[in-house]
Amino acid sequence: MTTGPFALNYKPALPAKSDYGIAVVGCGSITTNAHLPIYRRHGLNIIGCFDSRPAQAETFARQFSISKIYSALDELLADKKVDIVDIAVPATEQLAIVQRAAAAGKHMLCQKPLSETFADARKCVKAAREGKVTLAVNQQFRWSPAIAATKDLLRRSLLGEPTLGTIQVNALTPWHKWEWIRIKKTIDVLYTSIHFLDAMRHLFGEPLRIFVSGTPPPDGSCAGETRTIEVLEYATTLRAYVHDEHHNIGGRDDWYGFYRVEGTEGIVKGSLGGLFGFPTGVPDKISYLSRKLHPDTWIVPTLEGGWFPEAFLGPMASLMESLQTGKPPVTSGEDNLRTLQLVFAAYKSMEEKRAVSPEEIQ
Ligand SMILES: NC(=O)c1ccc[n+]([C@@H]2O[C@H](COP(=O)([O-])OP(=O)(O)OC[C@H]3O[C@@H](n4cnc5c(N)ncnc54)[C@H](O)[C@@H]3O)[C@@H](O)[C@H]2O)c1
């Protein structure tokens, strides 16, 4: 941890013990582009992998020099060397794997969304509780440099009382790469804005209610909403919103991903580099003003790392720390149910055209 008034503590860090045996279930795009690159960089102990498409598991194992390819999930779950199952399969497949892994006594890092329904997400959390294992969810956007640095400023009260939080994203998402998602009735909030809503909770706590307006694109290329405006109202004078647009035709130079937090004593603003071309992106940018440090000087630190892949160390490190301290991981299953309440409140809001309290989702 760095110190001094201008030091920003935003990088995910592994706990004292980090040699837990990890087995990967789902050797697709996100484990290839984000999980394994960052796990390998930090020397994590990858025991083996499994994918329902054996050829995909072989390609993955070859790329990351993984010696063990399991031929079935049960074989993976029976391996005593495996402490943590790192699951990255379509959300509809997740519950069945979680229930089996929990029964086998394995801890789990699940991918977001934990489930496509609130009822199944609760079943995931219940299975982990009954199996006396720890379940965390990969809401790694919390550890993206911009958001983690903003959290650090808020934690140190350098912005005073928060009054405004905004995340504005306007880019072109290549939905054709994920044919399975293009046909879903729930797209942006459940699969993308879930990160932004989770970040708002991380930064500011629980909103009282959410109002969302969203729509699919006019050309019918996606079934669900791919443009949303999400307004969050808090018990204090804080107000927040997310604007997420996925069909920007203006070319890469016109894309943006901005965030801004205002408080009674300061402002932090910058850009979310991860949006500028998955999976590589560009570094996040940040600048901030805190009247507690200086009345009118903007501070412009350089942030290292990104939403992809560096932030992916965060949820795994937090899960490992939880196994040592007994405290819940930052993005525990229980915590994630609150993010999902907000997500499903967003859909209820779109459907019923009114502000919805997350508590309405049970
Ligand atoms: N946290 C993030 O920012 C982030 C980013 C991208 C994707 N994701 C999530 O990660 C998950 C996977 O996404 P992806 O882009 O890697 O998809 P993908 O389709 O590229 O990979 C999924 C893999 O899972 C395998 N699979 C499917 N069902 C399985 C089962 N029952 N058992 C074992 N393997 C199975 C598939 O064969 C495939 O190789 C999704 O839930 C997605 O929402 C999260």
Side-chain angles (χ1 to χ4, degrees):
M1 186 180 275
T2 46
T3 53
F6 301 111
L8 284 172
N9 286 302
Y10 64 94
K11 290 186 184 172
L14 286 167
K17 174 176 160 56
S18 61
D19 62 352
Y20 296 95
I22 299 171
V24 176
V25 175
C27 306
S29 164
I30 199 63
T31 45
T32 301
N33 290 307
H35 296 219
L36 262 290
I38 203 67
Y39 296 173
R40 280 296 186 221
R41 198 187 298 171
H42 290 270
L44 300 190
N45 182 17
I46 312 300
I47 303 291
C49 63
F50 168 68
D51 195 289
S52 52
R53 294 180 297 159
Q56 184 63 28
E58 276 168 36
T59 307
F60 184 77
R62 208 174 313 117
Q63 182 171 350
F64 297 105
S65 307
I66 297 171
S67 53
K68 179 77 189 164
I69 302 172
Y70 300 100
S71 54
L73 181 63
D74 283 339
E75 188 194 355
L76 180 154
L77 296 177
D79 189 341
K80 293 201 164 34
K81 286 194 263 168
V82 175
D83 303 302
I84 295 172
V85 184
D86 189 22
I87 308 169
V89 298
T92 45
E93 301 289 312
Q94 195 146 243
L95 172 61
I97 296 170
V98 165
Q99 287 172 329
R100 286 165 69 187
K106 306 294 186 193
H107 305 293
M108 284 164 273
L109 179 56
C110 298
Q111 259 300 354
K112 50 70 23 187
L114 185 54
S115 170
E116 290 191 340
T117 69
F118 193 64
D120 279 1
R122 286 179 69 154
K123 284 183 196 163
C124 288
V125 174
K126 183 168 174 271
R129 198 186 314 119
E130 288 174 355
K132 297 190 170 37
V133 295
T134 305
L135 183 154
V137 185
N138 221 321
Q139 298 279 180
Q140 87 290 355
F141 181 61
R142 290 188 187 198
W143 285 270
S144 67
I147 297 302
T150 302
K151 177 76 182 174
D152 191 47
L153 294 170
L154 285 167
R155 199 185 286 124
R156 289 154 61 204
S157 300
L158 288 176
L159 306 178
E161 186 189 331
T163 52
L164 178 74
T166 70
I167 295 177
Q168 292 167 270
V169 176
N170 196 330
L172 182 66
T173 302
W175 293 116
H176 59 277
K177 286 191 182 170
W178 302 283
E179 204 49 43
W180 58 270
I181 206 173
R182 234 173 36 77
I183 56 176
K184 286 198 188 282
K185 294 254 167 63
T186 52
I187 298 185
D188 173 63
V189 181
L190 189 57
Y191 280 90
T192 306
S193 286
I194 186 171
H195 280 305
F196 308 141
L197 294 176
D198 184 69
M200 292 295 191
R201 286 192 52 243
H202 180 53
L203 295 174
F204 307 125
E206 312 303 334
L208 289 182
R209 56 188 76 85
I210 180 169
F211 178 78
V212 180
S213 183
T215 171
D219 64 4
S221 58
C222 292
E225 83 290 353
T226 51
R227 180 187 312 125
T228 57
I229 295 169
E230 305 156 29
V231 178
L232 304 171
E233 202 172 281
Y234 292 79
T236 63
T237 59
L238 171 64
R239 298 294 180 267
Y241 72 85
V242 174
H243 167 217
D244 201 358
E245 160 67 60
H246 292 270
H247 299 276
N248 185 327
I249 58 167
R252 211 180 160 90
D253 286 348
D254 192 49
W255 296 2
Y256 59 77
F258 296 137
Y259 69 95
R260 183 178 177 97
V261 172
E262 294 187 18
T264 49
E265 296 295 326
I267 300 170
V268 55
K269 62 183 179 181
S271 62
L272 303 165
L275 297 157
F276 294 86
F278 173 82
T280 49
V282 300
D284 284 1
K285 286 196 182 132
I286 186 172
S287 53
Y288 68 97
L289 165 83
S290 170
R291 292 201 300 208
K292 293 191 175 180
L293 294 174
H294 193 277
D296 59 12
T297 301
W298 282 88
I299 300 159
V300 189
T302 302
L303 295 179
E304 288 173 8
W307 179 1
F308 296 90
E310 284 81 2
F312 280 76
L313 187 65
M316 183 56 89
S318 170
L319 172 58
M320 289 181 173
E321 187 166 343
S322 154
L323 300 182
Q324 286 156 64
T325 61
K327 291 186 193 150
V330 176
T331 52
S332 68
E334 281 82 1
D335 179 89
N336 201 251
L337 289 181
R338 303 208 79 147
T339 292
L340 284 171
Q341 275 182 309
L342 202 48
V343 164
F344 293 114
Y347 283 109
K348 201 172 173 63
S349 171
M350 277 187 263
E351 198 181 315
E352 298 182 5
K353 311 212 177 300
R354 64 176 177 93
V356 175
S357 160
E359 303 300 325
E360 290 185 44
I361 309 299
Q362 293 298 336

